[in-house]
PDB file of all heavy atoms in Angstrom:
ATOM      1  N   ALA A 444       5.940  14.564 -13.551  1.00  0.00           N
ATOM      2  CA  ALA A 444       7.278  14.454 -12.902  1.00  0.00           C
ATOM      3  C   ALA A 444       8.353  13.993 -13.896  1.00  0.00           C
ATOM      4  O   ALA A 444       9.501  14.446 -13.831  1.00  0.00           O
ATOM      5  CB  ALA A 444       7.209  13.519 -11.697  1.00  0.00           C
ATOM      6  N   VAL A 445       8.000  13.101 -14.832  1.00  0.00           N
ATOM      7  CA  VAL A 445       8.929  12.692 -15.838  1.00  0.00           C
ATOM      8  C   VAL A 445       9.238  13.858 -16.743  1.00  0.00           C
ATOM      9  O   VAL A 445      10.409  14.118 -17.123  1.00  0.00           O
ATOM     10  CB  VAL A 445       8.393  11.480 -16.656  1.00  0.00           C
ATOM     11  CG1 VAL A 445       9.323  11.138 -17.803  1.00  0.00           C
ATOM     12  CG2 VAL A 445       8.167  10.298 -15.765  1.00  0.00           C
ATOM     13  N   ARG A 446       8.221  14.636 -17.091  1.00  0.00           N
ATOM     14  CA  ARG A 446       8.483  15.806 -17.925  1.00  0.00           C
ATOM     15  C   ARG A 446       9.355  16.853 -17.250  1.00  0.00           C
ATOM     16  O   ARG A 446      10.208  17.473 -17.827  1.00  0.00           O
ATOM     17  CB  ARG A 446       7.167  16.472 -18.320  1.00  0.00           C
ATOM     18  CG  ARG A 446       6.201  15.566 -19.147  1.00  0.00           C
ATOM     19  CD  ARG A 446       5.134  16.383 -19.881  1.00  0.00           C
ATOM     20  NE  ARG A 446       4.333  17.230 -18.982  1.00  0.00           N
ATOM     21  CZ  ARG A 446       3.194  16.799 -18.414  1.00  0.00           C
ATOM     22  NH1 ARG A 446       2.747  15.573 -18.589  1.00  0.00           N
ATOM     23  NH2 ARG A 446       2.502  17.656 -17.645  1.00  0.00           N
ATOM     24  N   PHE A 447       9.185  16.959 -15.912  1.00  0.00           N
ATOM     25  CA  PHE A 447      10.065  17.816 -15.101  1.00  0.00           C
ATOM     26  C   PHE A 447      11.513  17.367 -15.241  1.00  0.00           C
ATOM     27  O   PHE A 447      12.463  18.216 -15.351  1.00  0.00           O
ATOM     28  CB  PHE A 447       9.614  17.793 -13.665  1.00  0.00           C
ATOM     29  CG  PHE A 447      10.533  18.429 -12.704  1.00  0.00           C
ATOM     30  CD1 PHE A 447      10.484  19.783 -12.415  1.00  0.00           C
ATOM     31  CD2 PHE A 447      11.524  17.656 -12.043  1.00  0.00           C
ATOM     32  CE1 PHE A 447      11.353  20.425 -11.539  1.00  0.00           C
ATOM     33  CE2 PHE A 447      12.432  18.273 -11.125  1.00  0.00           C
ATOM     34  CZ  PHE A 447      12.356  19.645 -10.896  1.00  0.00           C
ATOM     35  N   VAL A 448      11.740  16.114 -15.184  1.00  0.00           N
ATOM     36  CA  VAL A 448      13.142  15.562 -15.326  1.00  0.00           C
ATOM     37  C   VAL A 448      13.724  16.020 -16.630  1.00  0.00           C
ATOM     38  O   VAL A 448      14.857  16.503 -16.679  1.00  0.00           O
ATOM     39  CB  VAL A 448      13.119  14.036 -15.189  1.00  0.00           C
ATOM     40  CG1 VAL A 448      14.475  13.463 -15.650  1.00  0.00           C
ATOM     41  CG2 VAL A 448      12.847  13.610 -13.773  1.00  0.00           C
ATOM     42  N   ARG A 449      12.953  15.920 -17.654  1.00  0.00           N
ATOM     43  CA  ARG A 449      13.434  16.267 -18.987  1.00  0.00           C
ATOM     44  C   ARG A 449      13.692  17.788 -19.071  1.00  0.00           C
ATOM     45  O   ARG A 449      14.702  18.268 -19.612  1.00  0.00           O
ATOM     46  CB  ARG A 449      12.497  15.831 -20.099  1.00  0.00           C
ATOM     47  CG  ARG A 449      12.366  14.337 -20.206  1.00  0.00           C
ATOM     48  CD  ARG A 449      11.464  13.941 -21.383  1.00  0.00           C
ATOM     49  NE  ARG A 449      11.407  12.478 -21.514  1.00  0.00           N
ATOM     50  CZ  ARG A 449      12.344  11.759 -22.100  1.00  0.00           C
ATOM     51  NH1 ARG A 449      13.379  12.342 -22.682  1.00  0.00           N
ATOM     52  NH2 ARG A 449      12.246  10.426 -22.176  1.00  0.00           N
ATOM     53  N   ALA A 450      12.787  18.547 -18.541  1.00  0.00           N
ATOM     54  CA  ALA A 450      12.889  20.006 -18.622  1.00  0.00           C
ATOM     55  C   ALA A 450      13.999  20.582 -17.775  1.00  0.00           C
ATOM     56  O   ALA A 450      14.525  21.717 -18.030  1.00  0.00           O
ATOM     57  CB  ALA A 450      11.552  20.674 -18.174  1.00  0.00           C
ATOM     58  N   ASN A 451      14.453  19.845 -16.762  1.00  0.00           N
ATOM     59  CA  ASN A 451      15.459  20.325 -15.848  1.00  0.00           C
ATOM     60  C   ASN A 451      16.768  19.513 -15.917  1.00  0.00           C
ATOM     61  O   ASN A 451      17.552  19.461 -14.931  1.00  0.00           O
ATOM     62  CB  ASN A 451      14.940  20.337 -14.440  1.00  0.00           C
ATOM     63  CG  ASN A 451      13.829  21.376 -14.229  1.00  0.00           C
ATOM     64  OD1 ASN A 451      14.087  22.551 -13.961  1.00  0.00           O
ATOM     65  ND2 ASN A 451      12.583  20.939 -14.433  1.00  0.00           N
ATOM     66  N   ALA A 452      16.999  18.871 -17.029  1.00  0.00           N
ATOM     67  CA  ALA A 452      18.133  17.988 -17.171  1.00  0.00           C
ATOM     68  C   ALA A 452      19.420  18.730 -16.971  1.00  0.00           C
ATOM     69  O   ALA A 452      20.364  18.244 -16.355  1.00  0.00           O
ATOM     70  CB  ALA A 452      18.056  17.325 -18.532  1.00  0.00           C
ATOM     71  N   GLU A 453      19.537  19.934 -17.582  1.00  0.00           N
ATOM     72  CA  GLU A 453      20.771  20.675 -17.503  1.00  0.00           C
ATOM     73  C   GLU A 453      21.102  21.085 -16.045  1.00  0.00           C
ATOM     74  O   GLU A 453      22.240  21.003 -15.612  1.00  0.00           O
ATOM     75  CB  GLU A 453      20.713  21.892 -18.400  1.00  0.00           C
ATOM     76  CG  GLU A 453      22.003  22.679 -18.433  1.00  0.00           C
ATOM     77  CD  GLU A 453      21.983  23.799 -19.428  1.00  0.00           C
ATOM     78  OE1 GLU A 453      20.979  23.870 -20.206  1.00  0.00           O
ATOM     79  OE2 GLU A 453      22.929  24.650 -19.466  1.00  0.00           O
TER      80      GLU A 453
END
Side-chain angles (χ1 to χ4, degrees):
V445 176
R446 299 197 304 268
F447 169 87
V448 167
R449 294 185 177 279
N451 292 274
E453 184 175 351

